[in-house]
Amino acid sequence: CGGSVIMTDLDRKFVFMNNQAIYVQSAIQSAVLGVAIAFGVLLISTRVFHLALFASLSIMSVLISVVGTMVMMGWTLGSIESTLIGIIAGFSVDYVVHLAHAYEIAKGDTYARITEAFSDLGISVFNGMITSVAASIPLFFCQLQFFAKFGTFLCLTIAYSWIFANFGFMTLLAQLKIPLKESGCRL
């Protein structure tokens, strides 16, 4: 016991463990920050608290669904996956923002607002989803791992975003029927 001990990490296990901790921390921080920024922007732009809250719930649902699908596909958390998780909120905000804005500027009761929102922007949101998914398909066949994973990630994020915006966000508005004030501050 009196000899000198030299600590080595020849298998680089400690470096790997440290990197994993950093990947987890940065993925969680980026995702939380992205959802918080989306909530703030939605609250400022619509001036309606429940629209911003429900849209943020839709974005969080997309985030959880995409990460869950990545796990089911057997992806391990690395630098690529950590970066992709960090940008999910930015990619998934598009459709729900358009529908929230269309709902907010529409006139009438909840049913009339939902009908007008779908009439005005429903086809545009659908076509945006179709073109984005179609644009991601060629990336599936790339040889570089980053592009193949990015294509899969993009397709999943767009599909889940469209599903949760149309069938989650709008359904929540339809079921809760929270009235909007026609003018003034609506927080």
Side-chain angles (χ1 to χ4, degrees):
C1 268
S4 63
V5 177
I6 300 172
M7 296 296 292
T8 62
D9 185 15
L10 297 177
D11 294 332
R12 304 194 50 87
K13 298 251 186 233
F14 293 114
V15 172
F16 175 76
M17 289 171 30
N18 186 47
N19 286 349
Q20 286 300 108
I22 292 169
Y23 295 151
V24 169
Q25 181 183 7
S26 68
I28 291 171
Q29 284 177 343
S30 299
V32 168
L33 184 63
V35 173
I37 289 170
F39 175 79
V41 168
L42 284 161
L43 188 60
I44 290 168
S45 64
T46 63
R47 298 177 320 275
V48 180
F49 179 78
H50 74 276
L51 286 181
L53 178 68
F54 296 161
S56 297
L57 288 174
S58 175
I59 294 166
M60 284 191 300
S61 299
V62 172
L63 179 78
I64 291 167
S65 298
V66 171
V67 171
T69 304
M70 289 166 62
V71 170
M72 288 191 298
M73 293 171 59
W75 292 9
T76 57
L77 188 63
S79 59
I80 296 171
E81 294 80 9
S82 178
T83 303
L84 294 177
I85 291 169
I87 62 175
I88 288 176
F91 277 155
S92 62
V93 74
D94 189 33
Y95 305 134
V96 75
V97 165
H98 283 87
L99 291 174
H101 175 68
Y103 179 86
E104 188 249 337
I105 64 170
K107 302 288 186 226
D109 64 347
T110 302
Y111 179 76
R113 287 177 182 270
I114 289 173
T115 303
E116 190 171 333
F118 276 132
S119 297
D120 289 347
L121 288 178
I123 192 67
S124 300
V125 168
F126 178 74
N127 285 331
M129 184 267 301
I130 293 295
T131 57
S132 296
V133 167
S136 72
I137 291 173
L139 293 174
F140 294 170
F141 306 106
C142 288
Q143 298 299 314
L144 293 175
Q145 184 181 21
F146 173 78
F147 291 118
K149 283 190 173 185
F150 185 75
T152 304
F153 160 80
L154 184 62
C155 186
L156 288 172
T157 303
I158 297 302
Y160 281 128
S161 178
W162 185 81
I163 289 167
F164 282 111
N166 284 283
F167 301 114
F169 175 72
M170 295 302 274
T171 302
L172 198 56
L173 291 174
Q175 289 300 310
L176 296 180
K177 295 183 177 80
I178 300 172
L180 294 180
K181 294 180 186 175
E182 291 298 325
S183 62
C185 183
R186 299 182 277 185
L187 292 178

